[in-house]
Amino acid sequence: MFKKGAEAKGHQVEIVRIMEKNIGFCRACDGCMRNGGICVLKDDMAGPDEDFY
């Protein structure tokens, strides 16, 4: 329902099935603070978040 409404307003929508992704928990290591805001964990969040910007 949300997808159809967003598309009707001209937005591009992609369904991402996060249950099928390997996404780790933040470990509060502050690695991202030393790495230009990029998480040091190597999981499936390394790519998809770029699509949101």
Side-chain angles (χ1 to χ4, degrees):
M1 187 172 255
F2 174 83
K3 180 180 184 284
K4 289 180 182 178
E7 288 174 334
K9 295 289 184 179
H11 297 280
Q12 182 180 1
V13 179
E14 178 183 354
I15 301 297
V16 178
R17 299 172 93 47
I18 61 172
M19 293 295 294
E20 297 171 359
K21 302 288 183 184
N22 174 31
I23 301 173
F25 292 98
C26 177
R27 299 189 179 148
C29 67
D30 284 338
C32 61
M33 301 301 284
R34 297 184 301 272
N35 197 24
I38 299 171
C39 183
V40 297
L41 294 178
K42 303 302 179 205
D43 60 9
D44 290 337
M45 281 304 292
D49 63 332
E50 295 170 358
D51 294 336
F52 296 119
Y53 303 103

